[in-house]
Amino acid sequence: MEQTKKHIRKQLLITVVILIALNIAGSYLFKRFDLTQDKRYTLSQATLNLIDQIDEPLYIDVLLDGKFPGEFKRLQTETRQLLEEFKAHNSNIIFQFENPLENEDNMQEDMRMLYSRGLTPISVTVDDKGKQSQEVVFPWAMVNYGTKTSKVQLLKNVMTTSTAEKVVSSVQHLEYAFAEAISKAINEKEKKIAVIKGNGELHDLLIADFLKQAGESYFIGPVTLDSVAKDPIKTLKLLNDFDLAIIAKPTKEFTEEEKQVLDQFIINGGKTLWMIDQVQAEMDSLYNETGNTLAFNRNLNLTDMFFKYGVRVNPDLIKDELATSIKLAVGQRGSQTEYQDFLWKLSPFVYPDSENPIVKNMSGIRFEFANSIDTLKNDIKKTVLLHSSPYSKRLGMPTQISLSMVNEKTNPSDYEGQGDIPVSVLLEGKFHSVYENRVLPFKDPSFKPVGGENKMIIISDGDIIKNQLDKSYQPLELGYDKWTNSLYDNKPFLMNCVNYLLDDNGLINIRSKDVDLPLLDKEKVYEQYTTAQFITVGLPIIILLVFGLLFTFIRKRKYSR
């Protein structure tokens, strides 16, 4: 008997020692296991590198608590689990979930405060077995680090999709969204963006929302090419201080001297984002008594430059059956003008299908009077980021365009073999100067005929960056169409372009991550509601009862002997 007691004490002591040793080892060794098939909780290396930089408390306030539809419970759960993974890697990350509308007495004041900070709510219709109700949700998070704050949009606004599908799409972007916000909060601005002026580019008010968004991460300044005529070397030196040049819808011809400045900026390693319209065509010119206008070639004198880099932006227009809507007056109802939405086939609705991280998992992007892009053979790597639908074709110039085109009847055979036209191309490689083996427009002792590794993006639509204005002539969100109340992914696309061109920490690659969240078939659940209730609620109770009875029976039988 005494021997047995000693053996038990020995086993207990060994167990305690092992548990203490495991706890001590656990404080030095860290390992978590992700058993999900899509590895959704395994953080990318770029994210881990970013988290490791946090050396003081970083606070994350998630405004996703309280009463809201079931779909958002899933978004809340995925957000919480991701942030728990962040915190497990760095204890300086502190997060909390809160309900911004919890105090009903100050609800209106709280909503105005959130609006002023750029946090817009959404109204969601909840359908519970045919009973509908409206809920207001603020799908945002705030990242606070020292005196700096950045915001995270948790719910992507994917057009023509259900709330559940929006949640799935949003979960795809959670890690990237938080990583980008943390990067803004903990890192100081370093890269500089030049907005090229002097050739009839878009007014700052028409690109204000883009400039505001880009200004959160980068320094932005204008560079006017007018000064090239007086002192091209000085202009080139000024431009070379920037990391990226944005050329947003120029309408006036570039001189050879101006082209040499831009060319040498590229050869010296400067990144460029071109948004070019090779055709003179504007929606405003259609709103006249006839509803007609003539579209014709716009000579920007950039053809030879793009040709040398490996692309050609053609002076044509793309007509696409997959198009965005415009609102037109169709008559009068009493004293009120009656409007109706029509598909405007010269405004393609482009859905990305490329695996490139710039556009992967992105929703539709609105183009307006887009041109086709041809890729040419040279040593530059070319990736088509965006292209029109299979049911699209090119219209040669000059051509008459009219609002009456909305009533045209078409046949799929009209587009046979003509669709999938490139409208945005990424170029990567060692660019050769357009003035290689040519007489230079101006003397430049530092002229280089070939540059190092570089990249640029060309988009065949200048209006892709253009935001609309409200009644007070204040800029609206880029991608928002006030006439049809639609929001397109123009801003995320352009910001991804900028981030890709300037990104040196690999955050943009996080966008390539795929997360598989199967959706619940509500129709089938409603049809088999009783069966679903029995499987999810009744069956577990029955199993517990059977197990309890069986355990009691076996126990009585064992100890009654």
Side-chain angles (χ1 to χ4, degrees):
M1 187 69 176
E2 187 65 27
Q3 189 70 24
T4 303
K5 288 183 179 180
K6 287 183 179 180
H7 180 70
I8 293 174
R9 290 195 203 101
K10 184 179 179 181
Q11 283 187 326
L12 181 61
L13 181 61
I14 292 173
T15 302
V16 171
V17 170
I18 291 174
L19 288 174
I20 293 173
L22 287 174
N23 276 278
I24 294 173
S27 63
Y28 293 97
L29 301 175
F30 173 81
K31 184 63 179 176
R32 288 164 68 93
F33 297 94
D34 185 355
L35 302 180
T36 57
Q37 185 176 3
D38 52 17
K39 299 298 179 184
R40 78 184 65 158
Y41 305 118
T42 300
L43 300 180
S44 305
Q45 188 59 47
T47 303
L48 294 175
N49 294 340
L50 186 67
I51 291 174
D52 289 340
Q53 298 176 34
I54 302 172
D55 53 10
E56 61 181 83
L58 181 141
Y59 299 95
I60 301 177
D61 298 318
V62 184
L63 310 182
L64 206 60
D65 199 9
K67 295 181 180 179
F68 45 72
E71 292 92 341
F72 286 88
K73 286 289 185 182
R74 193 170 204 177
L75 181 60
Q76 181 195 52
T77 300
E78 295 291 337
T79 302
R80 186 185 300 277
Q81 290 174 337
L82 177 68
L83 294 179
E84 286 175 350
E85 193 70 22
F86 283 10
K87 184 176 178 61
H89 283 275
N90 191 330
S91 59
N92 282 321
I93 297 177
I94 303 166
F95 68 90
Q96 66 174 358
F97 283 71
E98 59 182 84
N99 181 4
L101 305 179
E102 185 175 13
N103 189 344
E104 296 184 2
D105 296 334
N106 297 325
M107 184 180 295
Q108 295 301 320
E109 184 179 341
D110 292 340
M111 289 185 69
R112 281 194 295 269
M113 183 270 292
L114 292 169
Y115 264 114
S116 67
R117 300 175 69 178
L119 309 180
T120 54
I122 62 170
S123 181
V124 181
T125 301
V126 184
D127 190 353
D128 183 14
K129 297 179 65 178
K131 297 180 181 179
Q132 292 188 341
S133 61
Q134 293 290 326
E135 297 286 349
V136 175
V137 180
F138 276 87
W140 293 88
M142 302 297 295
V143 177
N144 305 285
Y145 189 75
T147 59
K148 297 178 68 175
T149 299
S150 59
K151 55 189 179 182
V152 182
Q153 186 174 4
L154 301 177
L155 183 70
K156 278 178 59 64
N157 188 7
V158 184
M159 293 179 58
T160 68
T161 58
S162 66
T163 302
E165 290 170 327
K166 288 179 182 177
V167 168
V168 172
S169 179
S170 301
V171 171
Q172 296 267 10
H173 293 78
L174 273 181
E175 183 181 341
Y176 175 74
F178 275 103
E180 184 182 37
I182 291 173
S183 179
K184 290 178 182 178
I186 69 174
N187 294 322
E188 296 297 329
K189 294 181 184 180
E190 294 181 354
K191 303 292 180 66
K192 296 191 290 186
I193 298 175
V195 180
I196 301 301
K197 299 291 183 180
N199 292 84
E201 289 84 3
L202 289 172
H203 189 279
D204 284 350
L205 194 61
L206 298 176
I207 59 174
D209 191 58
F210 171 80
L211 295 178
K212 178 183 176 182
Q213 183 72 28
E216 293 181 3
S217 303
Y218 308 104
F219 294 106
I220 299 178
V223 174
T224 304
L225 295 184
D226 291 347
S227 58
V228 169
K230 295 181 180 179
D231 194 343
I233 297 294
K234 181 179 179 181
T235 306
L236 178 57
K237 288 182 178 178
L238 173 64
L239 185 57
N240 280 337
D241 286 337
F242 290 85
D243 302 285
L244 168 68
I246 290 178
I247 303 94
K249 195 180 180 180
T251 56
K252 297 179 182 178
E253 183 177 340
F254 286 79
T255 66
E256 293 300 322
E257 291 78 10
E258 290 170 341
K259 286 165 58 178
Q260 183 179 335
V261 169
L262 290 173
D263 174 83
Q264 285 302 289
F265 170 72
I266 293 168
I267 298 302
N268 287 321
K271 312 300 188 296
T272 45
L273 176 58
W274 299 85
M275 287 160 279
I276 302 296
D277 274 355
Q278 288 283 41
V279 170
Q280 174 66 42
E282 304 290 342
M283 284 302 299
D284 291 345
S285 62
L286 286 167
Y287 297 132
N288 53 46
E289 292 182 359
T290 63
N292 299 315
T293 190
L294 180 67
F296 54 90
N297 182 18
R298 172 186 282 146
N299 181 25
L300 298 175
N301 193 29
L302 294 173
T303 302
D304 59 339
M305 195 170 178
F306 290 150
F307 190 90
K308 188 72 173 182
Y309 300 153
V311 297
R312 179 170 51 235
V313 183
N314 299 302
D316 56 20
L317 290 178
I318 295 177
K319 183 179 181 182
D320 199 332
E321 290 296 313
L322 182 59
T324 59
S325 299
I326 58 172
K327 195 177 288 291
L328 299 176
V330 294
Q332 293 286 130
R333 177 175 292 181
S335 60
Q336 299 293 322
T337 303
E338 189 173 356
Y339 293 90
Q340 185 176 336
D341 288 346
F342 294 91
L343 287 181
W344 180 239
K345 298 175 185 178
L346 295 180
S347 183
F349 192 12
V350 179
Y351 276 95
D353 58 10
S354 170
E355 291 297 306
N356 189 281
I358 296 175
V359 294
K360 188 173 182 181
N361 299 323
M362 187 165 286
S363 186
I365 300 163
R366 183 184 186 185
F367 280 69
E368 191 173 287
F369 298 117
N371 316 131
S372 65
I373 300 178
D374 294 333
T375 55
L376 311 173
K377 288 185 177 181
N378 64 4
D379 294 333
I380 299 296
K381 178 186 176 183
K382 305 167 191 70
T383 304
V384 175
L385 298 177
L386 300 173
H387 60 77
S388 61
S389 80
Y391 300 106
S392 59
K393 63 182 180 181
R394 313 178 192 211
L395 301 180
M397 293 297 112
T399 188
Q400 190 82 11
I401 57 177
S402 171
L403 290 176
S404 61
M405 293 171 65
V406 298
N407 296 316
E408 288 180 353
K409 302 298 181 183
T410 55
N411 190 292
S413 60
D414 297 339
Y415 300 97
E416 190 172 346
Q418 301 187 67
D420 298 323
I421 304 167
V423 292
S424 179
V425 179
L426 166 67
L427 306 178
E428 298 174 289
K430 295 181 179 180
F431 294 99
H432 286 248
S433 170
V434 68
Y435 297 103
E436 183 181 23
N437 301 321
R438 288 173 55 182
V439 177
L440 298 180
F442 64 86
K443 292 182 179 180
D444 179 7
S446 61
F447 175 82
K448 295 180 182 178
V450 184
E453 290 293 330
N454 201 354
K455 47 192 174 182
M456 71 170 66
I457 294 174
I458 298 177
I459 306 170
S460 61
D461 176 25
D463 292 309
I464 192 172
I465 195 175
K466 182 178 177 181
N467 56 251
Q468 295 180 357
L469 305 177
D470 62 16
K471 294 179 180 179
S472 303
Y473 296 97
Q474 295 302 305
L476 296 171
E477 183 176 1
L478 174 57
Y480 175 70
D481 181 13
K482 63 182 179 181
W483 307 113
T484 59
N485 197 31
S486 301
L487 182 62
Y488 303 95
D489 258 3
N490 292 44
K491 181 161 68 172
F493 167 63
L494 291 177
M495 286 307 305
N496 286 347
C497 288
V498 171
N499 292 338
Y500 183 87
L501 293 173
L502 294 178
D503 191 14
D504 57 0
N505 57 14
L507 286 185
I508 190 69
N509 291 315
I510 302 173
R511 288 182 50 83
S512 301
K513 189 173 182 178
D514 287 313
V515 176
D516 182 22
L517 292 177
L519 295 175
L520 185 67
D521 190 337
K522 291 185 177 181
E523 297 287 335
K524 188 175 290 187
V525 171
Y526 291 157
E527 290 174 3
Q528 305 174 5
Y529 194 76
T530 304
T531 304
Q533 274 190 323
F534 174 75
I535 293 174
T536 57
V537 180
L539 190 58
I541 294 174
I542 292 174
I543 292 173
L544 285 173
L545 286 173
V546 171
F547 177 79
L549 292 172
L550 185 62
F551 178 78
T552 303
F553 173 76
I554 293 173
R555 192 169 184 277
K556 283 184 177 180
R557 186 176 179 182
K558 179 179 179 180
Y559 291 102
S560 62
R561 294 177 181 179

